[in-house]
Amino acid sequence: MELIQTTSVGAGGASSITFTSIPATYTDLWLMVNVRSGSNNDTLFLRVNGSTASTTSAYMEGNGASVSSGSSTTNTFVRFGTITSAASADTFSSARAYLPNYTSSANKTVTTDYVSENNNTTAYQTLVAGVFPITDAITSLTISNTGGSLAAYSSASLYGVKNGSGGATVS
């Protein structure tokens, strides 16, 4: 894995974090996010190449008291999970996304896992599998939330994964 870029939100917050001009020199992408929102129960989501095409996704989510699951074929994004970090000061939630074969001419798949944190009794853990109906190489990723802004010091790091580039062998 090689770090492509890290972005942090400055004072006052931001509407989104976007990675652009993603190089086509890797086989897969790995995205790591630490986020805080100004309000509770927002949904953190991921959009690829600015596309407004409908995605297909399925999720499982638990909150310590109950479990839910569902699917969508109408959203223009793939969700990470429910943000609850606004309930506790200086607390950030974590998310990861893995996008294999991001330069192929096939539709782009993604798996995400998300854990909210709020130092309270309700926190969410969410697993999502999704498909973006995009056959072009992924050149940009945008992380946003349904409630508007991402709080100051939220950050995201994008890594490129090179398969078959040498390294250890197992025998």
Side-chain angles (χ1 to χ4, degrees):
M1 284 183 20
E2 295 177 4
L3 178 64
I4 296 171
Q5 182 182 357
T6 296
T7 301
S8 295
V9 174
S15 61
S16 62
I17 295 173
T18 300
F19 295 97
T20 59
S21 302
I22 298 170
T25 55
Y26 304 98
T27 55
D28 306 334
L29 296 173
W30 182 252
L31 177 65
M32 304 203 48
V33 180
N34 291 302
V35 67
R36 180 173 169 74
S37 174
S39 61
N40 279 328
N41 300 322
D42 294 342
T43 299
L44 185 68
F45 62 87
L46 176 67
R47 181 169 281 130
V48 170
N49 290 356
S51 175
T52 57
S54 295
T55 64
T56 301
S57 63
Y59 74 91
M60 294 186 310
E61 183 171 78
N63 65 11
S66 64
V67 176
S68 62
S69 63
S71 62
S72 171
T73 58
T74 60
N75 291 330
T76 60
F77 56 83
V78 169
R79 71 191 293 262
F80 280 108
T82 303
I83 301 171
T84 59
S85 56
S88 302
D90 303 321
T91 304
F92 289 77
S93 298
S94 300
R96 297 181 297 182
Y98 192 73
L99 298 114
N101 301 313
Y102 75 103
T103 60
S104 77
S105 59
N107 287 339
K108 304 305 180 275
T109 59
V110 61
T111 57
T112 70
D113 63 273
Y114 173 83
V115 178
S116 71
E117 178 58 59
N118 67 4
N119 295 327
N120 203 333
T121 57
T122 302
Y124 292 85
Q125 180 174 9
T126 309
L127 301 172
V128 179
V131 177
F132 294 98
I134 297 168
T135 56
D136 295 334
I138 295 174
T139 57
S140 72
L141 298 171
T142 301
I143 302 120
S144 304
N145 80 42
T146 56
S149 68
L150 301 173
Y153 311 114
S154 294
S155 65
S157 296
L158 180 63
Y159 294 86
V161 178
K162 288 187 175 184
N163 290 330
S165 60
T169 58
V170 178
S171 54

